[in-house]
Amino acid sequence: MRALLVVNPAATTTSARTRDVLIHALASDLKLEVANTEYRGHARDLARRAAESGTYDVVVALGGDGTVNEVVNGLLHHGPAPSDLPRLAVVPGGSTNVFARALGLPNHVVEATGALLAALREGSERTVGLGLAAGTPGTADEAVPARWFTFCAGFGFDAGVIGRVEQQRERGKRSTHALYVRQALRQFFGEPHRRQGTITIERPGEDPITDLALSIVCNTSPWTFFGNRPIYASPKASFDTGLDVLGLTKLTTPAVTRYATHLLTSTPERGPHGKHAVSLHDLADFTLQSQAPLPLQMDGDHLGLRTSVTFTGVRHALRVIV
């Protein structure tokens, strides 16, 4: 099998020696070409060229969720072709690796490589659905290019937290759970819309849901991990269905305390719930609009401010070796 291995050399949990070992292991079973990323967006460009060339049977992403997201967007630059979906494999090398872990892959890079080699030998793969976010026609954001996401997107509070974390990482801070907690607290106390939300969910044929202060879009479950603990924002979300949404109408101190506890104690059967929580399951198309510009994130990548984003759940978008 011909494969392109896209390597993020800055991946937080792999060393140069580890990457060399993994490359040799993969090369024993694959006709392998290796490409290291050199700038933000490079993984997307490499995967796009690989897809357009028709040279490779599979593209392997070695890195964190950001690297995987870029590779997916490169593979699907021209959209999914139902008769010939692109094939992806993942070796987790980031700090959280939500997509790989949601697929059931080990979080240890060497163990994950062994699992990948076994799946390749057995021809084991599955088809997954993905989320697609784009600018909404008729709004100031209509020209924003569409972008795929693999496990989640956020409009508002959680995207603001990720933006703060990225700023800290640019200053040399390591990506740790403690860093996320600190930035979440700073975002909370600086959040201007936590008592009266500005977000509206619009769905075809349904009444709008207004005044949300937080909105999380999930393509799978769990939403993220806190260490080894899975966090379920939308427990019913699945790669086999459309998109799920969790919205909160208030971010007051009592409400945040209650819903943070719900998240930390969430299970595959029960997520955040209560009078200020809105949960929607298996949506094909919807729009999130805000009266004020809010930050947007996809797969943990901060994408700047938006006033309107249209989401589509695309089933059968990608083949994954697993």
Side-chain angles (χ1 to χ4, degrees), residues 233 246 248 258-259 262-263 265 270-279:
L246 170 67
L248 299 180
R258 180 167 57 254
Y259 290 115
H262 287 182
L263 284 169
T265 59
R270 192 168 176 82
H273 52 278
K275 65 179 181 179
H276 299 307
V278 175
S279 295

Side-chain angles (χ1 to χ4, degrees), residues 207-291:
D207 292 335
I209 300 173
T210 62
D211 301 329
L212 295 179
L214 175 149
S215 56
I216 295 171
V217 182
C218 292
N219 184 52
T220 189
S221 189
W223 165 51
T224 189
F225 290 82
F226 191 77
N228 289 322
R229 176 185 286 278
I231 306 297
Y232 298 91
S234 296
K236 294 181 181 179
S238 167
F239 288 126
D240 300 318
T241 63
L243 301 174
D244 284 25
V245 178
L246 170 67
L248 299 180
T249 57
K250 283 190 178 181
L251 291 178
T252 59
T253 300
V256 166
T257 302
R258 180 167 57 254
Y259 290 115
T261 301
H262 287 182
L263 284 169
L264 290 173
T265 59
S266 59
T267 69
E269 292 75 36
R270 192 168 176 82
H273 52 278
K275 65 179 181 179
H276 299 307
V278 175
S279 295
L280 303 173
H281 175 57
D282 195 12
L283 302 184
D285 298 283
F286 62 95
T287 295
L288 296 179
Q289 300 210 45
S290 173
Q291 301 164 28

